[in-house]
Amino acid sequence: MWLEADEVVVDALRDLRKGKVVSVPDWKYKLAVFGLRHAPRGLLQSVARDTRGRIGRDSQ
């Protein structure tokens, strides 16, 4: 999923000319951004909680 720097720059400059505030360079990343924006908040919170682990937290 790595991108070539030249391609990222070309995409970013194209989006800048279009007046876009945020530039997402590739369809794979656009799909990921779409999924994150439209996923249920509870799902995102549970995934984030699981990836951080329980270090320094009180058990519930």
Side-chain angles (χ1 to χ4, degrees), residues 14-35:
R14 180 197 63 226
D15 289 344
L16 179 65
R17 282 190 296 275
K18 291 180 179 180
K20 290 187 178 180
V21 177
V22 176
S23 177
V24 182
D26 191 59
W27 70 269
K28 294 173 272 194
Y29 294 98
K30 289 178 183 182
L31 184 62
V33 168
F34 178 85

Side-chain angles (χ1 to χ4, degrees):
M1 287 193 60
W2 296 108
L3 302 172
E4 295 293 325
D6 294 339
E7 293 174 20
V8 173
V9 171
V10 168
D11 289 347
L13 291 174
R14 180 197 63 226
D15 289 344
L16 179 65
R17 282 190 296 275
K18 291 180 179 180
K20 290 187 178 180
V21 177
V22 176
S23 177
V24 182
D26 191 59
W27 70 269
K28 294 173 272 194
Y29 294 98
K30 289 178 183 182
L31 184 62
V33 168
F34 178 85
L36 289 171
R37 285 184 179 165
H38 294 88
R41 182 170 292 189
L43 175 65
L44 294 176
Q45 289 173 342
S46 66
V47 170
R49 184 173 25 256
D50 288 345
T51 59
R52 291 188 306 232
R54 295 201 173 267
I55 297 172
R57 288 195 190 174
D58 297 330
S59 24
Q60 296 176 346

